[in-house]
């Protein structure tokens, strides 16, 4: 049965976040170099962007490079950065056609200059697009984000721009890299691993989790739709009882 027919357009998660995992294992299974796993991972990125935008997802966050990924072999890091630059160039037309705005979270100032420049360009050219935000987590680590948030809030307290008593969840939200975005509704991780790996720890407080054995380079539109069908069959209670939700 067509998966699209099973999707309720009124219950699409606003913010979907994805831990794209399994590129290395995909390549190894085929006797290929890891880099080829990443290259094929780009195909999955494209399919996922199109699927999310077709469904009307408002924000799609992709974990493209973590703070921990810097410790991978230099050649792999370089290949990932080159892939990022070439994919951004290739996808710009698609972003414009589909009205997608690019933004990033993470310490993008530590990325190679070429990647920073390409990101700046695409962010600027897509800044007025309104249908979906594609949020790339690059050199991102959630604990680093929280440390950064605490520092910025503390500075305001020291400078008397903020009282300690005024610090609440909203103030914290407003100082995270994701300050313009809604909380994550749905978190997907591919490749069978069931970990959060320092991703959006604050923002996933009430997210539904979905784990699939599919390796990221094999992830296709249908896999995304299948995940959304499962999301829509879950009951999100936010701490309430079933009866309170049904009312
Ligand atoms: C995890 O697989 C994947 C990554 C660390 C990088 C994800 C990057 C891409 C899909 C390509 C470039 C991204 C964009 C946005 C154009 P892994 O290498 O950890 O796999 P393994 O656990 O099997 O070794």
């Amino acid at each position: 049965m067509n998966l699209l027919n099973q999707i309720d357009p009124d219950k699409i998660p606003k913010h979907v976040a994805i831990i794209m995992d399994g590129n290395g294992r995909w390549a190894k299974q085929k006797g290929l170099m890891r880099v080829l796993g990443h290259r094929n991972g780009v195909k999955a990125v494209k399919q996922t962007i199109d699927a999310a935008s077709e469904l009307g997802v408002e924000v799609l966050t992709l974990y493209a490079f973590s703070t921990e990924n810097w410790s991978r072999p230099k050649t792999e890091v370089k290949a990932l950065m080159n892939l990022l630059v070439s994919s951004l160039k290739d996808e710009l037309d698609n972003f414009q056609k589909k009205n997608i705005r690019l933004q990033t979270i993470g310490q993008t100032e530590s990325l190679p200059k070429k990647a920073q420049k390409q990101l700046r360009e695409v962010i600027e050219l897509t800044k007025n697009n309104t249908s979906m935000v594609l949020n790339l987590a690059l050199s991102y680590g959630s604990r680093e984000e929280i440390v950064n948030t605490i520092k910025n809030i503390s500075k305001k307290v020291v400078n008397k721009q903020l009282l300690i008593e005024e610090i609440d969840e909203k103030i914290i939200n407003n100082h995270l890299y994701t300050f313009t975005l809604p909380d994550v509704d749905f978190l997907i991780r591919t490749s069978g691993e069931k970990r959060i790996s320092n991703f959006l720890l604050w923002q996933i407080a009430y997210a539904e989790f979905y784990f699939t054995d599919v390796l990221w380079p094999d992830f296709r539109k249908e896999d995304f739709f299948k995940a959304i069908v499962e999301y829509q069959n879950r009951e999100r209670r936010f701490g309430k009882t079933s009866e309170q939700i049904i009312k």
Side-chain angles (χ1 to χ4, degrees):
M1 191 179 156
N2 187 343
L3 279 166
L4 262 180
N5 296 337
Q6 296 177 43
I7 295 177
D8 177 352
D10 296 327
K11 277 172 64 187
I12 302 296
K14 272 193 184 153
H15 187 171
V16 179
I18 307 186
I19 303 177
M20 311 182 284
D21 196 11
N23 294 354
R25 274 161 287 162
W26 183 91
K28 197 171 176 191
Q29 278 178 9
K30 294 187 155 41
L32 302 170
M33 295 193 351
R34 290 182 59 83
V35 172
L36 283 165
H38 297 314
R39 204 174 290 165
N40 281 278
V42 174
K43 289 184 194 160
V45 169
K46 291 181 183 180
Q47 291 252 329
T48 305
I49 294 172
D50 286 350
S53 123
E54 248 173 62
L55 291 185
V57 167
E58 287 177 21
V59 183
L60 175 69
T61 297
L62 299 179
Y63 206 178
F65 196 84
S66 71
T67 43
E68 291 76 22
N69 286 155
W70 288 114
S71 51
R72 292 196 173 194
K74 259 199 187 125
T75 48
E76 185 172 340
V77 171
K78 203 167 163 211
L80 276 168
M81 293 302 150
N82 288 339
L83 266 182
L84 174 68
V85 173
S86 60
S87 309
L88 287 171
K89 279 187 189 154
D90 290 349
E91 282 303 284
L92 178 59
D93 277 353
N94 191 35
F95 293 166
Q96 302 298 37
K97 205 162 63 202
K98 306 226 163 92
N99 199 13
I100 296 171
R101 178 160 68 81
L102 181 75
Q103 74 161 66
T104 60
I105 52 172
Q107 293 176 306
T108 44
E109 64 281 4
S110 41
L111 299 177
K113 289 276 172 301
K114 210 165 70 176
Q116 289 189 44
K117 181 167 171 273
Q118 193 61 44
L119 282 165
R120 264 200 311 273
E121 247 173 70
V122 179
I123 289 170
E124 175 61 27
L125 290 168
T126 62
K127 72 176 181 203
N128 295 321
N129 292 351
T130 51
S131 85
M132 184 175 88
V133 173
L134 171 64
N135 179 36
L136 292 184
L138 288 162
S139 191
Y140 174 84
S142 187
R143 287 186 170 182
E144 186 283 320
E145 176 184 35
I146 291 169
V147 168
N148 181 62
T149 297
I150 293 173
K151 281 185 184 162
N152 287 331
I153 293 176
S154 306
K155 272 184 213 155
K156 289 192 178 167
V157 171
V158 170
N159 295 336
K160 303 207 180 337
Q161 292 165 278
L162 191 68
L163 295 172
I164 287 188
E165 295 69 35
E166 285 171 336
I167 299 175
D168 58 9
E169 291 186 14
K170 203 163 165 226
I171 295 277
I172 295 178
N173 260 319
N174 290 342
H175 288 80
L176 292 166
Y177 294 138
T178 51
F179 69 100
T180 54
L181 307 176
D183 268 1
V184 174
D185 298 301
F186 193 36
L187 177 91
I188 299 173
R189 183 172 190 146
T190 57
S191 90
E193 304 291 348
K194 296 182 180 69
R195 286 190 293 276
I196 298 304
S197 302
N198 201 15
F199 191 42
L200 302 170
L201 299 177
W202 173 277
Q203 298 88 337
I204 57 170
Y206 289 101
E208 292 292 329
F209 291 2
Y210 178 86
F211 300 104
T212 170
D213 287 338
V214 175
L215 300 174
W216 181 251
D218 288 329
F219 197 81
R220 292 290 171 269
K221 267 187 175 184
E222 292 66 36
D223 296 296
F224 188 81
F225 294 150
K226 198 171 142 199
I228 299 294
V229 169
E230 161 130 4
Y231 169 86
Q232 296 192 333
N233 288 326
R234 305 240 184 118
E235 182 188 58
R236 301 184 76 198
R237 292 202 295 273
F238 300 96
K240 296 181 181 168
T241 67
S242 266
E243 291 69 28
Q244 286 174 302
I245 300 295
I246 290 159
K247 253 195 278 174

